[in-house]
Amino acid sequence: MIRCVNLSKSYSNVKALDNLNIEVKKGEIYGLIGPNGAGKTTTIKLLVGLIRPTSGSVFINGFDMSKDGLIAKKFIGYIPDEPFLYERLTPSELMDFKGSLFDMSQNEVDRKKAQLLDLVGMLEYKNDLIEGFSLGMKQRVAVAIALLPEPPIIVVDEPLVGLDPRGMKRVKEIFVRLAEEGKTVFISTHMLNVVEEISHRVGVLNKGQLVAEGPIEELKDAKDEKLENIFFRLFE
Amino acid sequence: MSYILRYFQLRFNMAAHSLTHHTREIVRYSFFLVFFLFVSVFVFFFLYKAFKFFNSFEIVGEFLIIKLLSMIFFIFFIFLILSNINSIIKWFFTKNDLPFVLTNPVSLADVYVTRSIEALFESSWAFLFFSIPVLLAYYLATGRFDFTFLFSCLLLIPFIMIPHGIAFIMVMVLGRILSPKVIKNTFSFLSLMLITVLVVTFRAIQIEKLARPESFAYIYEYMRFLSIPTHPLIPTNPFVASIVYFTRGENPSFWLDMGLFLSTACALFVISYWVHEYFYMACYTNIKSSSTRVKRDVLGRIFSVFPQRAKHLFLKEIKNLKRDPKEWSQVFLILALIFVYVYNFKLFPKERSPLPTVFLESLLTFLNMGLLTFVISAICVRFVYASFQLEGRPFWILLSSPVSMKELYIKKLMLYIPPILLLALILNYFSNKYIAPPDFLYYVSFGYSILIAFTAPVISLFFGTKDVSFREAPNPYGGFGGIVSMLVMIIYAGITIAILVWSSYWLLLFSVRGTTPPFHLTMRFIGSCVILFVGTITMIRFMVGKTLENLKNIEL
């Protein structure tokens, strides 16, 4: 579903991403981890088409993001690390807006938005202006709008920032359920325990390069070794 | 004290870094400096002429000058209070660095001094820039320019401290019960209302009558024209009285006035500090406003005639505008400008002009086209130019969705062109009603209104999408790029009007005489229209292409 081929991105003279090759299959939860400045957010932004690669390609469901961006974007639901939303809209209006961008009919949007807002615990606030929401509430709305068009791929950057423990549990459960339904989830995070808990495969990024990749079990030296230890071992 | 020094050293270093590493910043600031110098030179000459004119009246001249000076500083004073309210809210409540400062061992006194200086400078620099030419004009026109001019300039510092103190106390006291956001919205709304009222009042009282004192039946009426509140406790009065003393030396209560003025400034500084110490932290915790519930979606029903995507793109723009009182209250200002615009033509004394009627009507019609361009370009800079920048950081929602930038661009034009076209046609219709041009010119100006209503938004978006940064706070008033786009629109209009004048004037004379114009004149006019049309289409095509390129290159 997701394929990065020799993907590189430079900002002025700084190489943020260097020849990255990743492939994520249908129904898989892929966790991308790495220290600050490793290139995780750059990778995510390239996947969803917020930035363009210096070289290489991103294929989403077989469509090249650089050439067929409008088709490729139809398959992606993106949840950013900072949930900047249109503050003077309500969650309900924002979902109508998002639905229209994905060519969904109003009936379809109406049917799904109540269900999704309920899922993220925001149904009672559906007609409140977003400007009065806390960070966690905005993050939950961002999750709901990403899931609205029922995209087969969910790309998530730091999904649990600002969420309370109940919100974190709820969002993790959503990702697991989506993967069970055959959707692909690509997560970039600092929270190693989250990746360890829900990911099928992990990619470790450092200085723009993929230094390790595979199922967590394969990366472990010992059976009971924690992902945290693997992480530190890789960077020592 | 060391924190205050370190703070301003840091601010200075940041400004120096910004100037030395970003050539664009230097160009931007130089441009603004030249622009403001130009405006202040204009202010100086205008007021110099006015003061000189008043000075030529015996007995009442001096009195009229003082009245005008008081009026100017009284208006400045009211605007300083309103702009200080905005700056105080920004520097004391909403600046991003506040959580960092307040969670470090920085005393409240240091916070008060540093932030007050920042807010004071931000809200008052323009006043200082324009009040010096006012004072210079006064000194030179009355022929009393000497070293006391410097004292007058120094008095501007306590002058700006008074509205700052008043605004500070108002914000802190209101901040106990209202969130800073509500205070800011309320006062921004009031500022706009005040500007609207001032614009309409100045026009409605026909201020040009001042130049014709003979049009007043009594001298009393003439003086009432310049009436402003005159209570001795209004700070502008002792300020103006002190300046008058410097130039005339005839104020027996000078020391009382001066003492009152300076002690008010100092007392307000101290009282503000006490208020700050007592209220600030309580107000700061009141920043978060509660959610507002939206009850009915009337707009949604109105726009349901459009296809789904267009409907929601339009609704997003309109709701953002409608739910911000600062934005929608500007509609009142636009209405005031329309009133002034049309009223100017209504009052124009055509019958007293020595120019032949046809020539005057043509001149007025073409002048009207120029003014129309100015109004339309100003509105485009305010609303269209910034429309992409105002998307702000939520732009990721659009950029990560399967919607092309071309579609977004077209939808923005579809949303903004109809109201601009309507406004242009209304202005054109009503102004022509009073100008009463010959039919031929009426159609020319009608065609021009349509042309400018389509061209101006394209030019605005061309400049508004150049190097657009969604990380920076949006500047709804356009900034440097906005001024450049306005200049381009005015140059375009200048060339267009010049071509129309050149090609249509003789044709007009024949049409007024009721005779058939020679063939070459008709061809000249048709050829000019074709050239204008082709030229405009070429320019629009170029700008649309470049705008789409700019939009395609946007990265978040």
Side-chain angles (χ1 to χ4, degrees):
Chain A
M1 293 296 278
I2 300 174
R3 196 155 60 92
C4 301
V5 182
N6 302 327
L7 196 62
S8 297
K9 177 71 182 175
S10 299
Y11 296 101
S12 303
N13 296 323
V14 182
K15 205 153 200 184
L17 213 57
D18 188 9
N19 231 18
L20 184 74
N21 288 286
I22 291 178
E23 192 162 353
V24 187
K25 293 190 176 69
K26 192 178 175 206
E28 195 175 29
I29 300 181
Y30 186 95
L32 189 67
I33 57 174
N36 290 332
K40 300 189 296 294
T41 298
T42 302
T43 309
I44 292 272
K45 286 183 171 179
L46 285 164
L47 288 186
V48 298
L50 293 185
I51 54 176
R52 287 174 304 284
T54 310
S55 63
S57 304
V58 173
F59 292 95
I60 301 291
N61 210 11
F63 294 97
D64 188 339
M65 183 57 86
S66 302
K67 290 173 190 155
D68 305 307
L70 291 186
I71 305 172
K73 284 174 185 176
K74 282 190 176 177
F75 299 104
I76 301 177
Y78 168 52
I79 305 168
D81 54 342
E82 295 173 297
F84 291 107
L85 306 172
Y86 292 105
E87 303 252 311
R88 291 196 192 93
L89 296 186
T90 65
S92 173
E93 289 166 347
L94 188 61
M95 293 190 85
D96 289 342
F97 176 63
K98 174 83 177 186
S100 74
L101 298 177
F102 279 76
D103 290 325
M104 294 171 73
S105 70
Q106 191 59 50
N107 287 341
E108 205 182 348
V109 174
D110 288 341
R111 188 168 48 79
K112 281 181 189 160
K113 76 179 169 191
Q115 189 190 334
L116 280 169
L117 287 172
D118 189 34
L119 184 72
V120 295
M122 290 297 292
L123 189 59
E124 63 179 301
Y125 305 104
K126 70 172 183 173
N127 291 324
D128 290 2
L129 293 187
I130 291 168
E131 63 184 358
F133 289 177
S134 68
L135 177 67
M137 289 163 91
K138 286 178 188 170
Q139 188 67 278
R140 284 193 257 168
V141 175
V143 173
I145 63 165
L147 300 181
L148 181 72
E150 294 191 347
I153 300 167
I154 314 292
V155 178
V156 198
D157 196 359
E158 293 295 352
L160 307 179
V161 173
L163 294 179
D164 58 20
R166 200 170 51 171
M168 284 188 191
K169 187 169 177 285
R170 194 175 281 190
V171 170
K172 280 191 284 187
E173 283 169 359
I174 292 171
F175 294 151
V176 171
R177 208 191 65 199
L178 288 169
E180 284 167 0
E181 287 170 7
K183 291 182 174 157
T184 307
V185 182
F186 189 101
I187 302 174
S188 151
T189 182
H190 281 115
M191 295 186 180
L192 301 179
N193 59 329
V194 175
V195 175
E196 189 164 23
E197 210 177 308
I198 63 172
S199 297
H200 301 122
R201 268 193 321 137
V202 178
V204 185
L205 208 57
N206 188 32
K207 293 179 183 165
Q209 292 182 319
L210 199 65
V211 290
E213 192 190 36
I216 294 173
E217 297 309 313
E218 278 181 22
L219 297 175
K220 285 178 180 175
D221 272 356
K223 200 180 176 187
D224 56 348
E225 191 183 19
K226 290 266 177 204
L227 181 62
E228 195 178 20
N229 293 339
I230 302 170
F231 186 85
F232 288 122
R233 178 157 48 77
L234 283 166
F235 292 103
E236 267 167 15
Chain B
M1 181 59 90
S2 63
Y3 169 78
I4 298 171
L5 289 176
R6 270 206 306 273
Y7 176 84
F8 284 108
Q9 193 180 9
L10 192 71
R11 293 279 291 146
F12 177 78
N13 288 346
M14 280 162 68
H17 178 84
S18 164
L19 286 177
T20 47
H21 288 78
H22 305 282
T23 327
R24 273 173 61 96
E25 291 288 291
I26 300 173
V27 175
R28 205 160 69 99
Y29 284 118
S30 310
F31 183 86
F32 275 121
L33 188 68
V34 171
F35 179 74
F36 277 102
L37 278 174
F38 179 78
V39 177
S40 55
V41 168
F42 174 78
V43 168
F44 168 76
F45 278 109
F46 179 78
L47 286 173
Y48 178 76
K49 288 268 180 199
F51 288 139
K52 260 280 200 232
F53 175 69
F54 288 156
N55 212 24
S56 64
F57 299 155
E58 281 183 27
I59 308 169
V60 293
E62 191 78 35
F63 180 74
L64 289 173
I65 288 176
I66 296 168
K67 278 279 190 184
L68 183 60
L69 210 55
S70 301
M71 187 193 254
I72 292 167
F73 280 100
F74 183 74
I75 292 168
F76 276 159
F77 185 78
I78 299 293
F79 278 107
L80 277 175
I81 292 180
L82 295 168
S83 68
N84 265 291
I85 286 172
N86 271 335
S87 299
I88 288 163
I89 289 171
K90 176 183 159 186
W91 285 98
F92 282 88
F93 296 104
T94 56
K95 268 299 249 186
N96 289 339
D97 63 340
L98 272 168
F100 173 76
V101 173
L102 293 176
T103 50
N104 272 290
V106 178
S107 73
L108 276 182
D110 286 345
V111 172
Y112 171 70
V113 174
T114 50
R115 306 268 145 176
S116 283
I117 293 172
E118 294 270 23
L120 188 64
F121 179 75
E122 186 181 88
S123 55
S124 313
W125 69 266
F127 161 76
L128 294 173
F129 211 96
F130 291 120
S131 53
I132 292 172
V134 174
L135 291 175
L136 191 64
Y138 167 72
Y139 268 81
L140 290 174
T142 52
R144 293 167 188 143
F145 187 75
D146 58 15
F147 70 97
T148 58
F149 171 70
L150 289 177
F151 285 118
S152 297
C153 290
L154 283 176
L155 281 185
L156 294 173
I157 294 168
F159 185 91
I160 58 172
M161 286 169 68
I162 296 173
H164 175 77
I166 293 170
F168 191 90
I169 295 165
M170 279 166 76
V171 169
M172 292 294 158
V173 173
L174 287 173
R176 292 286 289 147
I177 39 173
L178 301 170
S179 75
K181 197 183 138 205
V182 174
I183 303 173
K184 191 175 175 177
N185 283 344
T186 310
F187 280 99
S188 298
F189 177 73
L190 287 178
S191 317
L192 269 162
M193 286 294 107
L194 182 69
I195 297 170
T196 308
V197 169
L198 277 177
V199 166
V200 174
T201 310
F202 270 110
R203 199 60 216 115
I205 64 172
Q206 301 174 39
I207 204 142
E208 68 276 9
K209 276 185 172 178
L210 282 173
R212 290 184 282 119
E214 71 281 4
S215 63
F216 292 88
Y218 304 101
I219 192 83
Y220 164 75
E221 269 187 29
Y222 191 46
M223 287 178 183
R224 204 163 57 92
F225 220 78
L226 290 167
S227 63
I228 53 153
T230 52
H231 194 278
L233 286 179
I234 292 172
T236 49
N237 291 335
F239 170 75
V240 172
S242 304
I243 291 170
V244 172
Y245 173 77
F246 288 149
T247 52
R248 292 168 64 197
E250 286 172 13
N251 182 358
S253 61
F254 168 72
W255 291 109
L256 180 67
D257 283 336
M258 181 61 98
L260 195 66
F261 176 65
L262 292 179
S263 61
T264 306
C266 296
L268 278 170
F269 182 78
V270 176
I271 294 169
S272 299
Y273 174 65
W274 289 339
V275 170
H276 174 263
E277 206 173 34
Y278 192 72
F279 285 131
Y280 178 55
M281 285 318 289
C283 292
Y284 186 72
T285 53
N286 198 20
I287 286 177
K288 193 83 193 142
S289 59
S290 58
S291 291
T292 312
R293 183 149 289 191
V294 175
K295 290 189 181 105
R296 278 181 304 170
D297 185 17
V298 183
L299 278 173
R301 265 172 257 150
I302 296 171
F303 278 79
S304 56
V305 291
F306 290 101
Q308 187 78 343
R309 189 181 281 184
K311 170 189 162 183
H312 288 292
L313 280 167
F314 294 160
L315 280 176
K316 173 185 73 67
E317 299 266 328
I318 294 168
K319 283 177 179 171
N320 270 324
L321 201 75
K322 180 181 150 241
R323 288 172 185 165
D324 186 348
K326 291 198 300 297
E327 300 283 333
W328 62 257
S329 52
Q330 293 187 14
V331 172
F332 290 106
L333 193 59
I334 293 171
L335 290 175
L337 286 173
I338 294 174
F339 165 77
V340 171
Y341 186 98
V342 176
Y343 199 61
N344 276 335
F345 284 102
K346 185 174 188 289
L347 292 181
F348 192 84
K350 265 201 321 189
E351 69 290 350
R352 290 200 310 189
S353 169
L355 298 170
T357 312
V358 176
F359 179 77
L360 183 68
E361 281 168 356
S362 321
L363 185 73
L364 281 178
T365 309
F366 288 116
L367 182 71
N368 184 25
M369 290 184 200
L371 284 173
L372 180 77
T373 310
F374 188 77
V375 172
I376 296 293
S377 61
I379 287 169
C380 281
V381 167
R382 174 60 192 85
F383 291 101
V384 188
Y385 170 86
S387 69
F388 272 98
Q389 173 91 46
L390 283 171
E391 291 279 344
R393 299 187 77 163
F395 195 67
W396 68 265
I397 297 175
L398 284 162
L399 205 54
S400 63
S401 297
V403 56
S404 70
M405 288 296 112
K406 187 178 175 183
E407 184 181 349
L408 197 60
Y409 173 69
I410 291 169
K411 295 278 166 25
K412 291 234 184 217
L413 285 178
M414 278 169 66
L415 180 69
Y416 287 110
I417 286 178
I420 288 168
L421 178 64
L422 186 69
L423 178 69
L425 292 177
I426 288 174
L427 287 177
N428 184 61
Y429 172 77
F430 283 104
S431 50
N432 276 339
K433 205 175 152 190
Y434 295 113
I435 297 169
D439 286 352
F440 173 70
L441 269 190
Y442 182 84
Y443 294 125
V444 169
S445 71
F446 179 76
Y448 177 80
S449 306
I450 296 172
L451 190 71
I452 200 72
F454 279 91
T455 316
V458 172
I459 297 175
S460 292
L461 282 180
F462 169 72
F463 285 99
T465 51
K466 268 188 174 297
D467 304 320
V468 58
S469 166
F470 297 103
R471 286 189 174 266
E472 283 171 19
N475 180 1
Y477 300 99
F480 177 65
I483 293 174
V484 175
S485 82
M486 206 164 155
L487 283 176
V488 170
M489 279 181 242
I490 290 167
I491 291 168
Y492 165 77
I495 295 168
T496 308
I497 294 170
I499 293 173
L500 286 174
V501 170
W502 174 76
S503 63
S504 66
Y505 186 66
W506 289 106
L507 210 59
L508 170 76
L509 288 184
F510 280 99
S511 128
V512 170
R513 281 186 209 137
T515 50
T516 315
F519 180 69
H520 75 275
L521 285 181
T522 311
M523 284 315 291
R524 183 204 276 184
F525 178 71
I526 294 170
S528 299
C529 288
V530 170
I531 288 170
L532 273 180
F533 185 72
V534 172
T536 303
I537 294 290
T538 311
M539 184 184 79
I540 286 179
R541 279 193 65 168
F542 168 79
M543 286 189 167
V544 168
K546 282 284 171 194
T547 307
L548 290 175
E549 210 172 284
N550 293 339
L551 289 170
K552 247 178 95 181
N553 289 332
I554 286 177
E555 290 195 337
L556 280 181

